[in-house]
Amino acid sequence: MLRAEATSHIKKQAKPPYHPQLRNQMMKYIRNVGGKAYRNLKNKSYEEIRDIYEKVKRFNDKFVAIGSTEDEQAIKEMNVKAEEPSKKRKGTIRKMKSSRIIKKRKIQKSDDELKNFLKVVDFEGDSAQDVEVMEQHSLISRFSIVQSPEGEYIAVQRANGHIRAFNTLNEILHILDRQDLYHLHRLVIEYYEHIPPTGLGLILHGDLTTMMETTEESDDELWRNQTEWEIISWRFYESTGVHILELENGTMIHMLVEQRYPLTRELMQRMLEHKLEVQKETEDALNVIRFVMKQKEDLEREEE
């Protein structure tokens, strides 16, 4: 009798969750890891959510930063295999014609060469206090736009009760990490789900939406007329993995370092010539340069 009850209990525990529960779990993963907005997911079917979840998970599991140790090891292994005798033609040795090897050879540069595209500067607003707050890490629990006699500002509260006020998203990026960024994006999207964003909230909502939801195939008004863009700065925030393009007309385009956006080959060339502004030369900063150079060269091959 006890054995039967135990078996029944195990079966109950092993029973998979219902589709609604699975759907909610997958949506949570997509929003937190893939940066997708809830409003773009809530009306989709279980099958559609599952497809998006599998795509995001595959990308997250397989993503290897260009120039990272893992990427270098993979290239070495591929080249070693290329030197092995062909099984199809005995007595001959042939090079492995991998498109990845070709691409890697084209953009492979020494660190000294890549550093030519970096410019070390002091970021305004980056103080010892900011670093201290970031180290005392606690998840972001609340966001709001606050009115004051001096104007609007963004209030961000962490779970430990600490509150900071900011005027722009750039200021926030000084003390956030990538997980913070996903949490902030989710909170902002949920906050404006039933009310239209205005003022500073509209700017923050737009910047986060552009960064998180734009893809290489996006056809948005923002990305048109890039030949007319005048670059003021191109800046990298390492803790969040975000690089920002500031234009003369006041537009600021926030981009995740591993995500491709509909940038033209000509604009990326101008970005490289302008140089990426960093607080210090790091491998992550060099990887931003590698990524942009790779995207630019991919476009050049497509145009040939």
Side-chain angles (χ1 to χ4, degrees):
M1 183 66 179
L2 290 174
R3 182 177 299 175
E5 289 179 356
T7 302
S8 175
H9 178 67
I10 292 173
K11 287 182 178 179
K12 287 182 180 179
Q13 285 185 325
K15 186 176 180 180
Y18 292 108
H19 279 190
Q21 184 179 351
L22 275 174
R23 183 175 182 276
N24 290 336
Q25 291 174 353
M26 289 189 292
M27 285 178 64
K28 184 176 181 180
Y29 181 89
I30 293 168
R31 290 161 60 193
N32 290 337
V33 177
K36 303 298 182 183
Y38 175 77
R39 57 185 171 82
N40 294 334
L41 300 172
K42 63 179 181 180
N43 295 324
K44 293 187 180 296
S45 66
Y46 171 81
E47 289 73 20
E48 291 174 319
I49 293 294
R50 183 189 59 196
D51 292 342
I52 297 173
Y53 166 79
E54 291 175 350
K55 182 178 179 180
V56 171
K57 194 169 191 311
R58 281 198 303 271
F59 177 84
N60 188 59
D61 291 344
K62 294 182 179 180
F63 174 73
V64 176
I66 298 170
S68 66
T69 303
E70 293 82 0
D71 187 51
E72 294 291 346
Q73 183 60 35
I75 295 298
K76 288 179 182 178
E77 292 175 358
M78 291 165 68
N79 284 323
V80 168
K81 290 181 180 179
E83 298 293 345
E84 295 176 353
S86 169
K87 294 182 179 179
K88 293 183 179 180
R89 298 181 182 179
K90 295 182 179 180
T92 63
I93 297 177
R94 58 174 180 165
K95 284 283 185 179
M96 183 178 182
K97 293 183 180 180
S98 167
S99 61
R100 189 181 179 198
I101 293 178
I102 295 172
K103 292 176 183 178
K104 186 68 181 179
R105 186 183 301 121
K106 282 188 176 182
I107 64 171
Q108 183 65 46
K109 294 181 181 292
S110 69
D111 285 357
D112 287 339
E113 290 179 287
L114 293 173
K115 287 177 183 178
N116 292 329
F117 299 100
L118 297 180
K119 183 192 304 181
V120 179
V121 300
D122 290 328
F123 290 3
E124 67 278 0
D126 186 42
S127 64
Q129 183 182 8
D130 292 329
V131 176
E132 182 182 353
V133 171
M134 186 170 64
E135 289 176 349
Q136 297 173 353
H137 188 70
S138 177
L139 290 178
I140 293 176
S141 61
R142 190 173 174 227
F143 140 84
S144 61
I145 298 294
V146 179
Q147 302 288 342
S148 74
E150 293 76 25
E152 292 182 312
Y153 61 87
I154 305 164
V156 176
Q157 179 176 340
R158 294 192 180 275
N160 62 6
H162 188 95
I163 301 176
R164 288 292 300 275
F166 306 91
N167 293 312
T168 66
L169 177 58
N170 287 20
E171 293 180 5
I172 301 175
L173 293 176
H174 284 299
I175 66 168
L176 299 189
D177 60 19
R178 179 58 72 88
Q179 196 62 37
D180 286 332
L181 197 59
Y182 287 139
H183 276 281
L184 179 62
H185 174 242
R186 177 176 57 82
L187 289 171
V188 170
I189 295 301
E190 290 178 351
Y191 185 87
Y192 290 113
E193 187 175 358
H194 302 296
I195 59 173
T198 59
L200 188 55
L202 178 61
I203 296 173
L204 179 64
H205 183 276
D207 287 342
L208 289 171
T209 300
T210 298
M211 176 168 54
M212 296 291 193
E213 300 179 26
T214 302
T215 65
E216 194 175 17
E217 294 77 25
S218 298
D219 182 22
D220 189 271
E221 185 70 29
L222 170 66
W223 304 99
R224 297 174 187 173
N225 303 319
Q226 293 184 32
T227 55
E228 301 175 6
W229 291 7
E230 294 292 335
I231 300 174
I232 291 181
S233 67
W234 177 33
R235 184 164 290 189
F236 174 50
Y237 291 82
E238 188 163 350
S239 63
T240 47
V242 172
H243 57 124
I244 303 172
L245 195 61
E246 182 180 3
L247 306 179
E248 193 175 49
N249 63 7
T251 301
M252 305 196 71
I253 302 174
H254 299 71
M255 298 174 282
L256 301 176
V257 295
E258 76 281 3
Q259 188 161 315
R260 289 178 176 241
Y261 297 85
L263 301 172
T264 64
R265 178 176 60 82
E266 293 78 8
L267 179 68
M268 285 186 281
Q269 179 61 39
R270 284 191 281 133
M271 289 164 60
L272 293 169
E273 291 172 356
H274 187 87
K275 297 186 179 182
L276 179 65
E277 296 181 4
V278 296
Q279 290 179 294
K280 57 183 177 180
E281 295 176 352
T282 65
E283 187 62 27
D284 285 342
L286 295 179
N287 282 336
V288 177
I289 300 299
R290 290 188 180 100
F291 188 83
V292 172
M293 292 177 68
K294 181 179 185 301
Q295 186 177 356
K296 173 178 167 290
E297 293 192 2
D298 286 347
L299 288 176
E300 289 173 347
R301 275 191 295 275
E302 292 173 4
E303 294 173 3
E304 291 176 354

